[in-house]
PDB file of all heavy atoms in Angstrom:
ATOM      1  N   GLY A 227     105.791  93.716 106.622  1.00 78.00           N
ATOM      2  CA  GLY A 227     105.123  95.014 106.572  1.00 78.00           C
ATOM      3  C   GLY A 227     103.928  95.080 107.501  1.00 78.00           C
ATOM      4  O   GLY A 227     103.699  96.108 108.157  1.00 78.00           O
ATOM      5  N   LEU A 228     103.170  93.979 107.585  1.00 76.00           N
ATOM      6  CA  LEU A 228     102.003  93.946 108.465  1.00 76.00           C
ATOM      7  C   LEU A 228     102.421  94.036 109.929  1.00 76.00           C
ATOM      8  O   LEU A 228     101.825  94.797 110.713  1.00 76.00           O
ATOM      9  CB  LEU A 228     101.212  92.659 108.227  1.00 76.00           C
ATOM     10  CG  LEU A 228      99.940  92.467 109.066  1.00 76.00           C
ATOM     11  CD1 LEU A 228      98.945  93.573 108.755  1.00 76.00           C
ATOM     12  CD2 LEU A 228      99.319  91.100 108.797  1.00 76.00           C
ATOM     13  N   LEU A 229     103.463  93.287 110.296  1.00 72.00           N
ATOM     14  CA  LEU A 229     103.935  93.319 111.682  1.00 72.00           C
ATOM     15  C   LEU A 229     104.540  94.673 112.042  1.00 72.00           C
ATOM     16  O   LEU A 229     104.541  95.065 113.214  1.00 72.00           O
ATOM     17  CB  LEU A 229     104.968  92.209 111.908  1.00 72.00           C
ATOM     18  CG  LEU A 229     104.445  90.774 111.791  1.00 72.00           C
ATOM     19  CD1 LEU A 229     105.570  89.772 111.984  1.00 72.00           C
ATOM     20  CD2 LEU A 229     103.327  90.520 112.797  1.00 72.00           C
ATOM     21  N   THR A 230     105.067  95.378 111.059  1.00 76.00           N
ATOM     22  CA  THR A 230     105.595  96.718 111.310  1.00 76.00           C
ATOM     23  C   THR A 230     104.472  97.741 111.430  1.00 76.00           C
ATOM     24  O   THR A 230     104.553  98.697 112.204  1.00 76.00           O
ATOM     25  CB  THR A 230     106.548  97.136 110.171  1.00 76.00           C
ATOM     26  OG1 THR A 230     107.581  96.157 110.036  1.00 76.00           O
ATOM     27  CG2 THR A 230     107.167  98.503 110.446  1.00 76.00           C
ATOM     28  N   PHE A 231     103.396  97.511 110.657  1.00 77.00           N
ATOM     29  CA  PHE A 231     102.302  98.481 110.618  1.00 77.00           C
ATOM     30  C   PHE A 231     101.403  98.389 111.840  1.00 77.00           C
ATOM     31  O   PHE A 231     100.915  99.414 112.334  1.00 77.00           O
ATOM     32  CB  PHE A 231     101.474  98.264 109.347  1.00 77.00           C
ATOM     33  CG  PHE A 231     100.209  99.065 109.310  1.00 77.00           C
ATOM     34  CD1 PHE A 231     100.233 100.436 109.076  1.00 77.00           C
ATOM     35  CD2 PHE A 231      98.975  98.451 109.515  1.00 77.00           C
ATOM     36  CE1 PHE A 231      99.072 101.176 109.043  1.00 77.00           C
ATOM     37  CE2 PHE A 231      97.811  99.186 109.488  1.00 77.00           C
ATOM     38  CZ  PHE A 231      97.860 100.552 109.245  1.00 77.00           C
ATOM     39  N   ILE A 232     101.154  97.186 112.352  1.00 71.00           N
ATOM     40  CA  ILE A 232     100.186  97.001 113.436  1.00 71.00           C
ATOM     41  C   ILE A 232     100.535  97.815 114.679  1.00 71.00           C
ATOM     42  O   ILE A 232      99.660  98.489 115.243  1.00 71.00           O
ATOM     43  CB  ILE A 232     100.032  95.497 113.769  1.00 71.00           C
ATOM     44  CG1 ILE A 232      99.240  94.808 112.650  1.00 71.00           C
ATOM     45  CG2 ILE A 232      99.332  95.303 115.109  1.00 71.00           C
ATOM     46  CD1 ILE A 232      99.053  93.315 112.855  1.00 71.00           C
ATOM     47  N   PRO A 233     101.802  97.805 115.177  1.00 69.00           N
ATOM     48  CA  PRO A 233     102.093  98.652 116.355  1.00 69.00           C
ATOM     49  C   PRO A 233     101.835 100.135 116.094  1.00 69.00           C
ATOM     50  O   PRO A 233     101.348 100.841 116.981  1.00 69.00           O
ATOM     51  CB  PRO A 233     103.579  98.380 116.614  1.00 69.00           C
ATOM     52  CG  PRO A 233     103.847  97.063 115.987  1.00 69.00           C
ATOM     53  CD  PRO A 233     102.963  96.999 114.794  1.00 69.00           C
ATOM     54  N   LEU A 234     102.182 100.611 114.881  1.00 75.00           N
ATOM     55  CA  LEU A 234     101.930 102.006 114.543  1.00 75.00           C
ATOM     56  C   LEU A 234     100.434 102.291 114.517  1.00 75.00           C
ATOM     57  O   LEU A 234      99.975 103.346 114.979  1.00 75.00           O
ATOM     58  CB  LEU A 234     102.552 102.341 113.187  1.00 75.00           C
ATOM     59  CG  LEU A 234     104.077 102.217 113.095  1.00 75.00           C
ATOM     60  CD1 LEU A 234     104.535 102.437 111.662  1.00 75.00           C
ATOM     61  CD2 LEU A 234     104.743 103.221 114.023  1.00 75.00           C
ATOM     62  N   TRP A 235      99.665 101.333 114.002  1.00 77.00           N
ATOM     63  CA  TRP A 235      98.217 101.517 113.897  1.00 77.00           C
ATOM     64  C   TRP A 235      97.568 101.544 115.275  1.00 77.00           C
ATOM     65  O   TRP A 235      96.712 102.394 115.552  1.00 77.00           O
ATOM     66  CB  TRP A 235      97.627 100.384 113.054  1.00 77.00           C
ATOM     67  CG  TRP A 235      96.147 100.477 112.864  1.00 77.00           C
ATOM     68  CD1 TRP A 235      95.444 101.473 112.253  1.00 77.00           C
ATOM     69  CD2 TRP A 235      95.176  99.524 113.306  1.00 77.00           C
ATOM     70  NE1 TRP A 235      94.101 101.203 112.275  1.00 77.00           N
ATOM     71  CE2 TRP A 235      93.906 100.012 112.920  1.00 77.00           C
ATOM     72  CE3 TRP A 235      95.248  98.307 113.974  1.00 77.00           C
ATOM     73  CZ2 TRP A 235      92.729  99.317 113.202  1.00 77.00           C
ATOM     74  CZ3 TRP A 235      94.084  97.624 114.240  1.00 77.00           C
ATOM     75  CH2 TRP A 235      92.852  98.127 113.856  1.00 77.00           C
ATOM     76  N   VAL A 236      97.987 100.621 116.154  1.00 70.00           N
ATOM     77  CA  VAL A 236      97.428 100.597 117.511  1.00 70.00           C
ATOM     78  C   VAL A 236      97.792 101.877 118.265  1.00 70.00           C
ATOM     79  O   VAL A 236      96.956 102.467 118.960  1.00 70.00           O
ATOM     80  CB  VAL A 236      97.934  99.351 118.277  1.00 70.00           C
ATOM     81  CG1 VAL A 236      97.532  99.421 119.738  1.00 70.00           C
ATOM     82  CG2 VAL A 236      97.394  98.077 117.633  1.00 70.00           C
ATOM     83  N   THR A 237      99.053 102.318 118.110  1.00 72.00           N
ATOM     84  CA  THR A 237      99.469 103.575 118.752  1.00 72.00           C
ATOM     85  C   THR A 237      98.643 104.741 118.248  1.00 72.00           C
ATOM     86  O   THR A 237      98.214 105.606 119.022  1.00 72.00           O
ATOM     87  CB  THR A 237     100.962 103.839 118.478  1.00 72.00           C
ATOM     88  OG1 THR A 237     101.730 102.719 118.939  1.00 72.00           O
ATOM     89  CG2 THR A 237     101.427 105.098 119.184  1.00 72.00           C
ATOM     90  N   TRP A 238      98.393 104.786 116.944  1.00 78.00           N
ATOM     91  CA  TRP A 238      97.592 105.863 116.365  1.00 78.00           C
ATOM     92  C   TRP A 238      96.163 105.827 116.894  1.00 78.00           C
ATOM     93  O   TRP A 238      95.577 106.872 117.193  1.00 78.00           O
ATOM     94  CB  TRP A 238      97.599 105.765 114.853  1.00 78.00           C
ATOM     95  CG  TRP A 238      96.522 106.572 114.186  1.00 78.00           C
ATOM     96  CD1 TRP A 238      95.458 106.101 113.479  1.00 78.00           C
ATOM     97  CD2 TRP A 238      96.388 108.006 114.186  1.00 78.00           C
ATOM     98  NE1 TRP A 238      94.669 107.128 113.040  1.00 78.00           N
ATOM     99  CE2 TRP A 238      95.212 108.316 113.455  1.00 78.00           C
ATOM    100  CE3 TRP A 238      97.123 109.037 114.740  1.00 78.00           C
ATOM    101  CZ2 TRP A 238      94.781 109.613 113.274  1.00 78.00           C
ATOM    102  CZ3 TRP A 238      96.689 110.337 114.551  1.00 78.00           C
ATOM    103  CH2 TRP A 238      95.544 110.612 113.826  1.00 78.00           C
ATOM    104  N   LEU A 239      95.586 104.630 117.021  1.00 75.00           N
ATOM    105  CA  LEU A 239      94.219 104.518 117.533  1.00 75.00           C
ATOM    106  C   LEU A 239      94.119 105.062 118.950  1.00 75.00           C
ATOM    107  O   LEU A 239      93.177 105.793 119.282  1.00 75.00           O
ATOM    108  CB  LEU A 239      93.756 103.063 117.490  1.00 75.00           C
ATOM    109  CG  LEU A 239      93.457 102.460 116.115  1.00 75.00           C
ATOM    110  CD1 LEU A 239      93.019 101.013 116.261  1.00 75.00           C
ATOM    111  CD2 LEU A 239      92.384 103.262 115.390  1.00 75.00           C
ATOM    112  N   VAL A 240      95.094 104.704 119.788  1.00 72.00           N
ATOM    113  CA  VAL A 240      95.070 105.182 121.175  1.00 72.00           C
ATOM    114  C   VAL A 240      95.227 106.696 121.228  1.00 72.00           C
ATOM    115  O   VAL A 240      94.479 107.402 121.915  1.00 72.00           O
ATOM    116  CB  VAL A 240      96.168 104.489 122.003  1.00 72.00           C
ATOM    117  CG1 VAL A 240      96.238 105.082 123.404  1.00 72.00           C
ATOM    118  CG2 VAL A 240      95.910 102.985 122.082  1.00 72.00           C
ATOM    119  N   PHE A 241      96.212 107.223 120.477  1.00 76.00           N
ATOM    120  CA  PHE A 241      96.429 108.667 120.475  1.00 76.00           C
ATOM    121  C   PHE A 241      95.253 109.401 119.844  1.00 76.00           C
ATOM    122  O   PHE A 241      94.885 110.494 120.289  1.00 76.00           O
ATOM    123  CB  PHE A 241      97.725 109.005 119.734  1.00 76.00           C
ATOM    124  CG  PHE A 241      98.930 109.005 120.617  1.00 76.00           C
ATOM    125  CD1 PHE A 241      99.678 107.842 120.808  1.00 76.00           C
ATOM    126  CD2 PHE A 241      99.326 110.148 121.284  1.00 76.00           C
ATOM    127  CE1 PHE A 241     100.786 107.832 121.627  1.00 76.00           C
ATOM    128  CE2 PHE A 241     100.439 110.164 122.108  1.00 76.00           C
ATOM    129  CZ  PHE A 241     101.164 109.002 122.279  1.00 76.00           C
ATOM    130  N   LYS A 242      94.654 108.814 118.816  1.00 78.00           N
ATOM    131  CA  LYS A 242      93.507 109.439 118.177  1.00 78.00           C
ATOM    132  C   LYS A 242      92.349 109.554 119.147  1.00 78.00           C
ATOM    133  O   LYS A 242      91.650 110.575 119.196  1.00 78.00           O
ATOM    134  CB  LYS A 242      93.084 108.633 116.945  1.00 78.00           C
ATOM    135  CG  LYS A 242      91.921 109.238 116.173  1.00 78.00           C
ATOM    136  CD  LYS A 242      91.557 108.382 114.975  1.00 78.00           C
ATOM    137  CE  LYS A 242      90.367 108.994 114.226  1.00 78.00           C
ATOM    138  NZ  LYS A 242      89.973 108.143 113.058  1.00 78.00           N
ATOM    139  N   PHE A 243      92.145 108.508 119.935  1.00 77.00           N
ATOM    140  CA  PHE A 243      91.068 108.529 120.925  1.00 77.00           C
ATOM    141  C   PHE A 243      91.320 109.592 121.986  1.00 77.00           C
ATOM    142  O   PHE A 243      90.442 110.390 122.314  1.00 77.00           O
ATOM    143  CB  PHE A 243      90.935 107.148 121.571  1.00 77.00           C
ATOM    144  CG  PHE A 243      89.977 107.113 122.729  1.00 77.00           C
ATOM    145  CD1 PHE A 243      88.616 107.065 122.512  1.00 77.00           C
ATOM    146  CD2 PHE A 243      90.459 107.143 124.042  1.00 77.00           C
ATOM    147  CE1 PHE A 243      87.732 107.045 123.582  1.00 77.00           C
ATOM    148  CE2 PHE A 243      89.579 107.123 125.102  1.00 77.00           C
ATOM    149  CZ  PHE A 243      88.212 107.074 124.873  1.00 77.00           C
ATOM    150  N   VAL A 244      92.553 109.620 122.527  1.00 77.00           N
ATOM    151  CA  VAL A 244      92.885 110.574 123.589  1.00 77.00           C
ATOM    152  C   VAL A 244      92.843 112.001 123.062  1.00 77.00           C
ATOM    153  O   VAL A 244      92.246 112.892 123.679  1.00 77.00           O
ATOM    154  CB  VAL A 244      94.262 110.248 124.190  1.00 77.00           C
ATOM    155  CG1 VAL A 244      94.664 111.312 125.205  1.00 77.00           C
ATOM    156  CG2 VAL A 244      94.250 108.874 124.843  1.00 77.00           C
ATOM    157  N   LEU A 245      93.479 112.244 121.899  1.00 80.00           N
ATOM    158  CA  LEU A 245      93.503 113.592 121.344  1.00 80.00           C
ATOM    159  C   LEU A 245      92.107 114.055 120.943  1.00 80.00           C
ATOM    160  O   LEU A 245      91.748 115.224 121.125  1.00 80.00           O
ATOM    161  CB  LEU A 245      94.443 113.642 120.134  1.00 80.00           C
ATOM    162  CG  LEU A 245      95.926 113.397 120.423  1.00 80.00           C
ATOM    163  CD1 LEU A 245      96.729 113.450 119.135  1.00 80.00           C
ATOM    164  CD2 LEU A 245      96.462 114.405 121.428  1.00 80.00           C
ATOM    165  N   GLY A 246      91.310 113.132 120.401  1.00 83.00           N
ATOM    166  CA  GLY A 246      89.931 113.483 120.048  1.00 83.00           C
ATOM    167  C   GLY A 246      89.109 113.835 121.274  1.00 83.00           C
ATOM    168  O   GLY A 246      88.284 114.758 121.235  1.00 83.00           O
ATOM    169  N   LEU A 247      89.350 113.117 122.364  1.00 82.00           N
ATOM    170  CA  LEU A 247      88.644 113.407 123.614  1.00 82.00           C
ATOM    171  C   LEU A 247      89.021 114.789 124.136  1.00 82.00           C
ATOM    172  O   LEU A 247      88.163 115.572 124.559  1.00 82.00           O
ATOM    173  CB  LEU A 247      88.976 112.330 124.649  1.00 82.00           C
ATOM    174  CG  LEU A 247      88.248 112.410 125.999  1.00 82.00           C
ATOM    175  CD1 LEU A 247      86.763 112.186 125.803  1.00 82.00           C
ATOM    176  CD2 LEU A 247      88.804 111.372 126.967  1.00 82.00           C
ATOM    177  N   LEU A 248      90.316 115.109 124.091  1.00 82.00           N
ATOM    178  CA  LEU A 248      90.776 116.409 124.569  1.00 82.00           C
ATOM    179  C   LEU A 248      90.282 117.536 123.660  1.00 82.00           C
ATOM    180  O   LEU A 248      89.849 118.590 124.146  1.00 82.00           O
ATOM    181  CB  LEU A 248      92.308 116.432 124.648  1.00 82.00           C
ATOM    182  CG  LEU A 248      92.942 115.504 125.682  1.00 82.00           C
ATOM    183  CD1 LEU A 248      94.457 115.535 125.572  1.00 82.00           C
ATOM    184  CD2 LEU A 248      92.501 115.879 127.091  1.00 82.00           C
ATOM    185  N   ALA A 249      90.351 117.317 122.351  1.00 83.00           N
ATOM    186  CA  ALA A 249      89.890 118.344 121.415  1.00 83.00           C
ATOM    187  C   ALA A 249      88.391 118.570 121.535  1.00 83.00           C
ATOM    188  O   ALA A 249      87.908 119.690 121.371  1.00 83.00           O
ATOM    189  CB  ALA A 249      90.248 117.954 119.984  1.00 83.00           C
ATOM    190  N   GLY A 250      87.648 117.517 121.853  1.00 85.00           N
ATOM    191  CA  GLY A 250      86.201 117.661 122.013  1.00 85.00           C
ATOM    192  C   GLY A 250      85.832 118.553 123.184  1.00 85.00           C
ATOM    193  O   GLY A 250      84.769 119.179 123.188  1.00 85.00           O
ATOM    194  N   ILE A 251      86.719 118.631 124.187  1.00 84.00           N
ATOM    195  CA  ILE A 251      86.447 119.501 125.336  1.00 84.00           C
ATOM    196  C   ILE A 251      86.538 120.966 124.937  1.00 84.00           C
ATOM    197  O   ILE A 251      85.726 121.797 125.358  1.00 84.00           O
ATOM    198  CB  ILE A 251      87.438 119.185 126.480  1.00 84.00           C
ATOM    199  CG1 ILE A 251      87.257 117.734 126.956  1.00 84.00           C
ATOM    200  CG2 ILE A 251      87.240 120.142 127.644  1.00 84.00           C
ATOM    201  CD1 ILE A 251      88.276 117.301 127.986  1.00 84.00           C
ATOM    202  N   GLY A 252      87.545 121.307 124.115  1.00 85.00           N
ATOM    203  CA  GLY A 252      87.719 122.701 123.718  1.00 85.00           C
ATOM    204  C   GLY A 252      86.954 123.109 122.483  1.00 85.00           C
ATOM    205  O   GLY A 252      86.908 124.304 122.145  1.00 85.00           O
ATOM    206  N   ALA A 253      86.335 122.142 121.791  1.00 85.00           N
ATOM    207  CA  ALA A 253      85.622 122.450 120.545  1.00 85.00           C
ATOM    208  C   ALA A 253      84.487 123.457 120.732  1.00 85.00           C
ATOM    209  O   ALA A 253      84.334 124.364 119.907  1.00 85.00           O
ATOM    210  CB  ALA A 253      85.104 121.154 119.919  1.00 85.00           C
ATOM    211  N   PRO A 254      83.649 123.362 121.778  1.00 85.00           N
ATOM    212  CA  PRO A 254      82.574 124.358 121.940  1.00 85.00           C
ATOM    213  C   PRO A 254      83.104 125.786 122.086  1.00 85.00           C
ATOM    214  O   PRO A 254      82.496 126.731 121.569  1.00 85.00           O
ATOM    215  CB  PRO A 254      81.855 123.896 123.211  1.00 85.00           C
ATOM    216  CG  PRO A 254      82.142 122.443 123.307  1.00 85.00           C
ATOM    217  CD  PRO A 254      83.530 122.285 122.771  1.00 85.00           C
ATOM    218  N   LEU A 255      84.242 125.948 122.757  1.00 84.00           N
ATOM    219  CA  LEU A 255      84.817 127.290 122.916  1.00 84.00           C
ATOM    220  C   LEU A 255      85.291 127.833 121.578  1.00 84.00           C
ATOM    221  O   LEU A 255      85.072 129.015 121.262  1.00 84.00           O
ATOM    222  CB  LEU A 255      85.973 127.241 123.913  1.00 84.00           C
ATOM    223  CG  LEU A 255      86.696 128.576 124.166  1.00 84.00           C
ATOM    224  CD1 LEU A 255      85.715 129.622 124.696  1.00 84.00           C
ATOM    225  CD2 LEU A 255      87.847 128.379 125.147  1.00 84.00           C
ATOM    226  N   VAL A 256      85.928 126.980 120.783  1.00 84.00           N
ATOM    227  CA  VAL A 256      86.385 127.409 119.458  1.00 84.00           C
ATOM    228  C   VAL A 256      85.193 127.777 118.581  1.00 84.00           C
ATOM    229  O   VAL A 256      85.230 128.786 117.862  1.00 84.00           O
ATOM    230  CB  VAL A 256      87.221 126.300 118.791  1.00 84.00           C
ATOM    231  CG1 VAL A 256      87.614 126.694 117.367  1.00 84.00           C
ATOM    232  CG2 VAL A 256      88.467 126.006 119.611  1.00 84.00           C
TER     233      VAL A 256
END
């Protein structure tokens, strides 16, 4: 279970960082 979870967790961290960065650009307009 740990070996299955770690790739998903790392992928989520990377996407969370990228998506958060992109959302932060449009946040002032919203």
Side-chain angles (χ1 to χ4, degrees):
L228 181 62
L229 295 178
T230 304
F231 171 74
I232 287 179
L234 297 174
W235 181 62
V236 172
T237 303
W238 164 246
L239 288 180
V240 174
F241 271 90
K242 182 180 179 181
F243 172 79
V244 175
L245 295 179
L247 184 65
L248 294 175
I251 298 175
L255 179 59
V256 176

